[in-house]
Amino acid sequence: MEKCGLYLGCNIPFKAPDIEQSLRQVFPPLGVEVVDLPGASCCPAWGTAPSFDIDTWLALSARNIALAEKQGVDVMTGCNSCFGVLSEAKHVIDASAAKKDVVNEKLATIDSAYAGSSKIYHIGHILHEKIGTEKIKKNLRYSLDGLTAAVQPGCHLLWPTKSMEVTEENPFFPTMLSDLCGALGLRAPTYSNIEACCGMGAMRSTDQEKSFILAKEKLVRMKEELNPDMIVTTCSSCYLQLDGAQKIFRDRGEIDFEIPVFYYTQLLALCMGADPAEVACISDTPRAAIIAEIQSEQRRMK
Amino acid sequence: MPTVNLTQMNTHEIIQKVVEFGGDGVVKCIQCGACASICPVSHAGFPLFCKQLIRKVQTGYEEEILDDPSTWACVACNRCVEVCPRGVNPTEVIFAFRRIQANELAISTSSLMSQSNLYEKGHAVLSGESKKLRVKVGLPENPPTSVNDEKAQKEIQTLLDNSPMADLGIF
Amino acid sequence: MAKVGVYVCHCGSNIAGVVDVAAVREYAETLPDVVVSREYLFMCSDPGQELIRKDIKDGLVDRVVVAACTPRTHEPIFRKALESAGLNKYFFEMANIRDQDSWVHGDDHAGATRKAKQLVASAVAKAANLEALEDTYVDVTQAAMVVGGGVAGIFAALDLANMGHKVYLVEKEPSIGGVMAQLDKTFPTNDCSACILTPIMVEVGTHPNIEMLTYAEVEDVDGYIGNFKVKVRKKQTYVDWTKCTGCGACAEACPAKVPDSFNCGMNDRGAAYIHFPQAVPKKAVVDMKHCLNCAGHKIGQEPRISKKTGEPMLAPCEKACAADAINRSLPWNPEGELIEIEVGTVVLATGYRVMEKEHFKEYAPDSPNVLTALQMERLISATGPTGGKLLRPSDGKKPKVLDFISCVGSRDIRHHTYCSRVCCMYMIKQARLLMEKYPDLEIYMHFIDVRTPGKDFDEYYTHAAEMGIHFIKGKPGGIEMLPDDRLRVLGYDSAMGENIEVDADLVILATAIELPEDAQKLAQKFSMTMDGSGFFKELHPKLKPVDTPIEGVFLAGCCQGPKDIPDTVAQAKAAAASAAIPLAQKRVKIEPILSEVYPEKCSGCGICVPLCPYNAISLKPYADRPRAVIDMTQCKGCGVCASACPSGAIILHGYTDDQIYSQIAALTQSA
């Protein structure tokens, strides 16, 4: 069985551990053994070391990647931001022998070393490229036939293509997540601003109301163009924003609709028969009804 | 805004600084506007998005914009990098300016909290609820990360103590 | 003992701004064989040349070294000065202390001065060893070839033909006309492209001095100025052009569907087709790659006999051809016909292509409502796929909002850094034509800058703004596809400093002009050099704008760089005039910088024969054995043979071993 190092980041283990649980449950039956990276830290987030000093950022990222290298595995991240930071760090270090020396000088002080032998993947890439939709289909117990999703791949999964191991055929009109949804029987058509930012992360912590302008535009266009049964994302930040901000908009009377939000592996785990109390139980926008629908008798596959 | 007398601006110094902090593309920008048209920071209404920041740096602004929080709203989506026709790497210019701001401590208090979280536990984002939530979903209280790993924390502290960030007194 | 004169040029401040010219002159005085050393502001000017001429006439010097710029442009000038003073012009040597010194070492004056001294010493050492050489002359074949039948090739061919020269016009498509034939109207006068071009195409077609070779491509080139041998492959048309009347019946009958390249793929043509209605020559071809072999009648086979009627079963194209020009039973040779043509000079006018929209991922290339500007030309042309009606490709409905984006692939380091020069104007032209025809349209145009430097161009632009066309300064970074097939253009208005959006029915991309791949292959055949932008490089950007490094080969039109129709025609006429000079002179000079074999020393080993890149060497019997002989008219003076000859039997005049060793010796002594 292929092994892959699960890089958790911060959001998933601390704010949405049901996503972590879904990641741990879906991969082994699909033929990928999840290997922990003990002692992994923050990637570090864009707002921390990368905003102060390049070499410090690279050293902290390289330390995380080195944990995977030591076990001889590639890295897979569940968080788009972590994917972006680690990919970019690897890209910068691998492009310059001098940079690599600087980083390894720093790592030497903590008995670590970066070689550049592990690749950085997002879990979406592992599912789409390494496992493939056919294998996913074979492991399902429930089908989402007839349901519609609005997908949110998230910025860091799309750009910049120059530093990514796997890229969309056209990153401005992404299709990977729609394909993955299709494997579950879910209809996931594109919509006009599929590539747009949800406003989470640095923007929300800088000015929540401005960040909500983007989140609301996203939600309204999803609703108007697709009227979806659910939103599916592969970004933990987008997940938190589209789920949490949606509730705030409803509470304020700014929108009058409710679209449950799933991180893709949560939905996949449910379709594979996982216990929703473990893999999809933390959200601001209610999901009980749609989860009951997903795991209903008539959706059980023969 | 009062009229800006360009002859009184010192463009060389700030451009040099931005280049040194990693934004060497700033001199390549022809202000075509492609980055601005798709920038989430611009769409959300922040005044100092990529194109504006680059122009102001090219014009010699530094102190005047040092406290503007717009740069901190950049989510590093990198869409600007993908569409820029001149190889400017606008994200890198924004981050170079952020580094200048950070080294002058022109940063928000919430950002300072992230730095000390990173230093203490190795994680910028933490949650008081996390242990409860983790147990609820059937996971151990702590994930197998630096959060509960003193050796890992020490390693991160060593890296940070030996970085320019240590001189800022933010940990 | 040679008497060497050294003349150091300031080149204004080009050299003197970096190199200490006086020091170089003084140093030259100390060199062996140097009898006089002078300096002057511009050695190439008449007073500068006079310094040299006077010293020669006074008997002071008999070898000349000029330390100045590049021999590429200035060696002929100084050689003439020697000649006019009565000295053999090959007693001249140039030291390039500008391009190879002051220009590249501007930050190191002392070092540049030291290098200038070494270069002068090297030139002096060679000058002392120079030998007198004589030019030879060969006759010029009295014909020219023009490659490319667009507007550039058409005008070059016509001018040469009107001067009385025989012209072969080679065009790869079945008809001449090029991209200009695809255009609707032309800026800044809005005259119809077909109306101004087609009569001239007819003139070419009927000109007694022009032999058109359409549907033909250059396969190989051999020879040199005055005597080029060009192999041209006439591609197989599978139609007997001596019989074809261009009626188009075969094209109408053909059931195959092939994207029509003349209409930029916006409709289909048959496998049997005529390039376009106003084609010259108006002849059909069968595109065998897409032929369906109707009625089972493959090319070169007898038709099957119908069991019902007992008659042969013919393909629709055969049946439709009243002139009997299509006979599929004939054993057509798919390779076509290879012919060799001898000409004295060649004009390359191979044209350009526009980039396809697929390259621009951020601009929704999968939407049928995103068009290149050339597709837009066809969409508004009366001969286009809609008969000139503006219809949205996705649903055939009339669009209400149009959005134009400029600099798509131009001024973009991901594609081409250059400005394609014509896009601003043709976009404005299309917008104006559309506004005149459909006043209820809303038209938005995004520019990085509006560039309108031609005659009457800016007036053309400002009038467009007065017509209500919206000009926005700012390049869009993306397009979103709306559910109703409209396109949301994500833009930025630099003047307002605000993000803007346009919900458009059609988006038109002004994609960059670039050199097509087949022209790059042609460039290799003609040994053209390419410029940094990927176009054919002219010999000098200002003074030799239509010349190339290959003497006798000239450039016209967009193969040399993007340009509009007025500039293209002007350049074509310039190229024709230049290409006519050797034809008018009737003989061309061959410089004696050539290799020669001393047959007594030659062992006949033959090593040099396959090494010669110009096939100039052969082994011929001499005394007791075969020995190498070099054909002077083929030799380019590259020196490969001379350096490889194990017996030292080959000498390259102008670069003899003695001369080169003395240069090396001088260079390796510190100045």
Side-chain angles (χ1 to χ4, degrees), chain C residues 145-164:
Chain C
M145 176 174 285
V146 176
V147 185
V151 62
I154 284 172
F155 273 90
L158 266 183
D159 276 15
L160 282 162
N162 285 335
M163 284 184 248

Side-chain angles (χ1 to χ4, degrees), chain A residues 20 40 42 50-51 63 161, chain B residues 82 98-99 122 134 137 146 155:
Chain A
E20 180 181 332
C42 180
S51 295
R63 178 187 167 277
T161 50
Chain B
E82 201 75 12
R98 266 201 200 181
R99 289 170 196 135
R134 292 183 62 81
V137 303
S146 60
E155 288 175 9

Side-chain angles (χ1 to χ4, degrees), chain C residues 515-530:
Chain C
L515 198 76
E517 274 157 30
D518 49 4
Q520 290 167 18
K521 282 184 204 141
L522 190 82
Q524 288 171 356
K525 289 171 188 161
F526 278 98
S527 304
M528 290 292 103
T529 44
M530 313 305 275

Side-chain angles (χ1 to χ4, degrees), chain C residues 98-150:
Chain C
R98 189 188 70 178
D99 307 33
Q100 294 173 1
D101 190 10
S102 67
W103 277 357
V104 284
H105 303 299
D107 53 353
D108 179 8
H109 291 204
T113 302
R114 202 163 56 242
K115 182 171 173 181
K117 288 177 183 174
Q118 283 182 297
L119 290 170
V120 167
S122 156
V124 166
K126 186 180 175 188
N129 284 300
L130 286 172
E131 52 180 0
L133 299 169
E134 294 304 327
D135 292 337
T136 49
Y137 293 85
V138 292
D139 289 340
V140 170
T141 306
Q142 288 299 305
M145 176 174 285
V146 176
V147 185

Side-chain angles (χ1 to χ4, degrees), chain C residues 201-249:
Chain C
M201 288 162 61
V202 173
E203 198 181 331
V204 169
T206 55
H207 201 294
N209 288 345
I210 298 178
E211 186 172 334
M212 282 197 304
L213 300 162
T214 63
Y215 214 45
E217 289 182 48
V218 170
E219 182 116 336
D220 193 25
V221 186
D222 208 0
Y224 53 95
I225 180 171
N227 294 283
F228 289 106
K229 291 185 181 68
V230 189
K231 285 201 182 89
V232 174
R233 184 176 297 281
K234 291 172 81 175
K235 291 182 278 190
Q236 187 53 267
T237 61
Y238 299 99
V239 176
D240 184 346
W241 277 17
T242 60
K243 292 180 181 167
C244 176
T245 60
C247 70

Side-chain angles (χ1 to χ4, degrees), chain C residues 264-546:
Chain C
C264 303
M266 287 195 293
N267 66 331
D268 291 329
R269 60 160 169 80
Y273 71 103
I274 290 178
H275 193 33
F276 58 101
Q278 296 75 34
V280 172
K282 197 169 181 193
K283 302 286 179 190
V285 297
V286 179
D287 167 5
M288 202 46 71
K289 243 194 305 190
H290 296 99
C291 176
L292 304 174
N293 296 309
C294 300
H297 193 183
K298 287 189 184 156
I299 283 289
Q301 290 180 358
E302 287 303 317
R304 294 190 303 174
I305 305 298
S306 166
K307 280 178 190 156
K308 272 188 207 160
T309 63
E311 296 288 314
M313 290 162 66
L314 297 177
C317 54
E318 288 175 291
K319 278 197 257 180
C321 184
D324 199 23
I326 303 187
N327 183 348
R328 302 176 63 87
S329 307
L330 292 176
W332 297 91
N333 173 10
E335 298 299 312
E337 187 188 354
L338 197 60
I339 54 175
E340 186 171 290
I341 296 168
E342 295 191 6
V343 293
T345 54
V346 178
V347 175
L348 297 180
T350 53
Y352 70 99
R353 70 172 174 202
V354 293
M355 289 182 78
E356 302 288 343
K357 63 177 182 173
E358 280 65 32
H359 296 283
F360 308 103
K361 292 182 173 175
E362 63 267 48
Y363 293 147
D366 286 347
S367 166
N369 296 332
V370 173
L371 305 175
T372 67
L374 193 57
Q375 287 179 312
M376 192 63 183
E377 288 290 337
R378 297 313 300 149
L379 201 56
I380 56 178
S381 166
T383 62
T386 59
K389 279 200 202 100
L390 180 69
L391 299 174
R392 200 168 81 147
S394 65
D395 56 6
K397 288 190 184 143
K398 194 183 150 251
K400 298 186 188 74
V401 179
L402 267 57
D403 192 279
F404 287 81
I405 302 177
S406 77
C407 295
V408 180
S410 310
R411 305 177 69 193
D412 186 330
I413 61 159
R414 296 168 299 172
H415 305 286
H416 300 301
T417 53
Y418 51 82
C419 165
S420 287
R421 288 189 67 191
V422 291
C423 320
C424 285
M425 281 301 287
Y426 72 60
M427 286 165 68
I428 296 169
K429 175 205 72 181
Q430 291 182 351
R432 278 183 51 158
L433 295 174
L434 286 161
M435 274 300 254
E436 281 166 13
K437 200 163 169 187
Y438 309 101
D440 57 335
L441 281 178
E442 287 292 343
I443 300 181
Y444 301 86
M445 311 189 78
H446 308 267
F447 294 87
I448 300 177
D449 308 284
V450 182
R451 293 184 167 174
T452 56
K455 195 171 172 179
D456 296 332
F457 285 11
D458 210 63
E459 292 80 355
Y460 191 84
Y461 155 50
T462 48
H463 182 71
E466 287 165 21
M467 286 170 73
I469 294 164
H470 306 284
F471 287 87
I472 300 148
K473 187 169 156 50
K475 183 182 166 81
I479 293 177
E480 291 175 348
M481 293 199 271
L482 298 178
D484 55 1
D485 286 339
R486 285 186 304 156
L487 299 149
R488 176 164 292 165
V489 179
L490 308 178
Y492 182 78
D493 186 326
S494 280
M496 288 201 298
E498 280 174 29
N499 285 60
I500 51 144
E501 292 173 348
V502 176
D503 293 348
D505 295 293
L506 278 180
V507 172
I508 300 97
L509 307 178
T511 57
I513 280 178
E514 63 182 9
L515 198 76
E517 274 157 30
D518 49 4
Q520 290 167 18
K521 282 184 204 141
L522 190 82
Q524 288 171 356
K525 289 171 188 161
F526 278 98
S527 304
M528 290 292 103
T529 44
M530 313 305 275
D531 63 24
S533 302
F535 293 98
F536 294 1
K537 192 175 180 183
E538 66 284 351
L539 190 55
H540 189 281
K542 290 138 209 160
L543 303 180
K544 293 184 185 290
V546 299

Side-chain angles (χ1 to χ4, degrees), chain A residues 176-253:
Chain A
M176 274 191 204
L177 184 49
S178 296
D179 282 356
L180 288 173
C181 286
L184 310 180
L186 194 56
R187 212 174 67 88
T190 192
Y191 57 99
S192 62
N193 61 350
I194 185 172
E195 85 297 356
C197 172
C198 71
M200 192 50 178
M203 187 181 291
R204 183 155 167 187
S205 44
T206 303
D207 187 328
Q208 174 168 289
E209 290 310 311
K210 284 197 171 73
S211 115
F212 279 177
I213 293 172
L214 303 188
K216 203 192 293 170
E217 190 178 358
K218 188 105 208 172
L219 288 165
V220 167
R221 286 218 233 160
M222 284 174 168
K223 178 70 184 170
E224 284 180 355
E225 294 179 24
L226 303 179
N227 192 25
D229 298 297
M230 63 188 89
I231 293 167
V232 181
T233 180
T234 36
C235 173
S236 49
S237 294
C238 297
Y239 170 80
L240 293 171
Q241 176 86 325
L242 297 176
D243 174 62
Q246 195 186 139
K247 179 171 188 302
I248 296 173
F249 298 152
R250 264 194 307 277
D251 292 348
R252 289 176 179 176

